[in-house]
Amino acid sequence: MEAVVRAPAVINVAALCGSLRRASCNRGLLRAAIEISKDIEGLHIEYVDISPLPFLNTDLELNGTYPLEVEAFRQKILKADSILFASPEYNYSVTGPLKNAIDWASRPPNIWADKAAAIVSAGGGFGGGRSQYHLRQTGVYLDLHFINKPEFFLNAFQPPIKFDSNGNLLDVAAKERLKEVLLSLQAFTLRLQGNCK
């Protein structure tokens, strides 16, 4: 009898950026992550645009249904195995657009629950670290399970140059650190799914 060879599980990651700017460094981190993931077997990252989402307003929920943009967003999150957040820091916290997206996907039924997640961020000072801590606190209530390590904060303004004028990540060391985050997210997702050997 021949042994059955199973193809490795493919982890589908939904990537969300808290900044709506096209040339955002945080969006650049996600573009870099998507490129890096092409060399990681069993990992697929899809960028999910949060800009079309209306402000959360439960008056828009009619008979248990959501606006079309919200439903399309919720379906992408629901189908994802894990989430990669790029979370810039605005006023010591997460951005309004990201919080809005999180809130829409938490409406009944909460579709964040039991998913693995990771956060990356770039900015000045602490590189977005304070936004990450607020996002982690929100994740506790949502039953999102964040990887603990490695953490990824990048001061975008310290030499050497980290990003080009379009927000594309140039820094080789940062790309290596980003790859470590992706590998950790992949492994943690498999563990949560019970597929770990």
Side-chain angles (χ1 to χ4, degrees):
M1 183 155 83
E2 280 186 39
V4 177
V5 178
R6 289 190 179 153
V10 175
I11 300 300
N12 291 302
V13 181
L16 281 65
C17 184
S19 174
L20 303 184
R21 267 191 336 112
R22 273 197 200 120
S24 158
C25 296
N26 286 277
R27 207 168 195 184
L29 291 178
L30 294 184
R31 284 193 297 273
I34 290 168
E35 279 306 306
I36 292 166
S37 72
K38 292 175 182 176
D39 293 327
I40 301 175
E41 187 179 2
L43 190 68
H44 176 260
I45 302 176
E46 178 186 358
Y47 176 74
V48 178
D49 187 7
I50 64 172
S51 65
L53 296 175
F55 283 122
L56 178 69
N57 178 352
T58 55
D59 288 344
L60 299 176
E61 300 175 23
L62 303 172
N63 301 319
T65 64
Y66 297 99
L68 292 177
E69 304 89 348
V70 173
E71 190 55 47
F73 170 72
R74 287 174 57 88
Q75 285 303 312
K76 287 184 178 183
I77 300 303
L78 186 64
K79 291 175 183 172
D81 298 300
S82 55
I83 313 296
L84 177 62
F85 293 98
S87 184
E89 182 179 316
Y90 288 11
N91 300 315
Y92 278 29
S93 191
V94 298
T95 68
L98 183 56
K99 182 63 166 63
N100 186 55
I102 289 167
D103 291 344
W104 269 123
S106 73
R107 297 293 298 151
N110 169 26
I111 55 175
W112 300 112
D114 294 324
K115 293 189 186 293
I119 318 169
V120 296
S121 58
F126 296 112
R130 286 174 286 231
S131 74
Q132 290 199 24
Y133 295 136
H134 277 196
L135 185 50
R136 285 177 180 275
Q137 286 177 316
T138 303
V140 170
Y141 182 75
L142 299 174
D143 290 326
L144 260 173
H145 306 291
F146 285 101
I147 64 169
N148 291 322
K149 293 179 183 173
E151 293 181 307
F152 187 102
F153 316 106
L154 184 62
N155 187 319
F157 309 110
Q158 281 184 336
I161 294 172
K162 307 285 193 306
F163 296 90
D164 67 16
S165 60
N166 293 316
N168 295 310
L169 183 62
L170 302 172
D171 187 85
V172 174
K175 288 181 181 181
E176 282 302 313
R177 289 176 48 218
L178 190 52
K179 183 176 183 178
E180 290 172 14
V181 170
L182 298 180
L183 290 170
S184 179
L185 177 61
Q186 181 184 35
F188 187 48
T189 304
L190 287 168
R191 207 163 83 214
L192 279 180
Q193 293 178 342
N195 293 330
C196 185
K197 292 181 181 177

